[in-house]
Amino acid sequence: MFGMKQSGINAYANVGLETGVVDASPLKLTVMLYEGAITACIHAQQAIGQGDIIKKGECLTKAVSIIDNGLRSSLDKRAGGQIASNLDELYQYMTRTLMQASLRLDVKKVNEIQQLLMELKSAWEALEKTGASRNAPASAPFNTLVSQKAQSIPAVNTNRLAVAGV
């Protein structure tokens, strides 16, 4: 009996989510993807702390999937220019780091990626609030944030990976 009530609640929640997705603008959809990846990182950190390896794996797989199959695959490098290239590098870095964190049960690395996702989510939310289009001047702070992150974090770790033979 309890299971039936719970499945009804889940069905209701899924309908609400689906409706939100259908009605969402591209900017809102991007924010929703960030929210999903952030939530998966939070749950992965909790699972690592509890020693729940299966849940950790599920959560990090979900985060990587959202980053690769949602955020990264939606980049239009031709139209997006340098910002799209920088985001692509960041997303690659996030995926590599989460995979390494999974192997090493490294909560700090998962938290690092969670923080990056939160910063980028905030930038997308700011764009959404201004109603900015991809080429609008209001996106300048967003471009700056992405450029700084792409130049500082992936470059250092790419060098480490190259030295390690990855």
Side-chain angles (χ1 to χ4, degrees):
M1 183 169 152
F2 180 76
M4 292 180 70
K5 285 183 182 179
Q6 189 64 28
S7 68
I9 292 169
N10 289 339
Y12 181 76
N14 286 338
V15 168
L17 178 62
E18 289 170 11
T19 302
V21 169
V22 169
D23 294 339
S25 70
L27 288 173
K28 180 63 178 171
L29 289 173
T30 301
V31 169
M32 291 171 78
L33 288 170
Y34 279 108
E35 288 170 350
I38 290 164
T39 300
C41 286
I42 291 168
H43 290 151
Q45 290 172 73
Q46 293 169 345
I48 291 169
Q50 296 168 352
D52 189 341
I53 303 305
I54 294 172
K55 184 175 179 185
K56 177 267 314 177
E58 291 169 352
C59 293
L60 290 179
T61 297
K62 182 176 183 177
V64 166
S65 179
I66 290 169
I67 292 167
D68 276 348
N69 300 326
L71 296 168
R72 188 167 177 230
S73 69
S74 67
L75 292 173
D76 184 346
K77 292 181 188 171
R78 199 174 324 164
Q82 188 62 42
I83 187 121
S85 294
N86 288 344
L87 280 169
D88 186 54
E89 289 178 29
L90 274 172
Y91 295 150
Q92 288 178 48
Y93 168 76
M94 289 177 185
T95 298
R96 280 192 313 267
T97 302
L98 289 175
M99 292 168 83
Q100 292 169 354
S102 182
L103 292 172
R104 298 179 183 139
L105 302 176
D106 191 340
V107 173
K108 289 181 181 177
K109 286 292 184 186
V110 178
N111 187 55
E112 174 191 345
I113 300 308
Q114 176 193 335
Q115 296 304 314
L116 276 172
L117 289 165
M118 289 169 61
E119 286 183 56
L120 290 168
K121 175 183 167 258
S122 293
W124 282 99
E125 287 172 329
L127 283 174
E128 183 184 20
K129 286 178 184 173
T130 63
S133 68
R134 288 184 182 177
N135 299 321
S139 65
F142 177 75
N143 294 350
T144 302
L145 171 68
V146 172
S147 294
Q148 288 171 347
K149 295 297 178 190
Q151 290 172 5
S152 64
I153 296 172
V156 171
N157 289 293
T158 301
N159 291 338
R160 282 192 209 144
L161 291 172
V163 170
V166 177

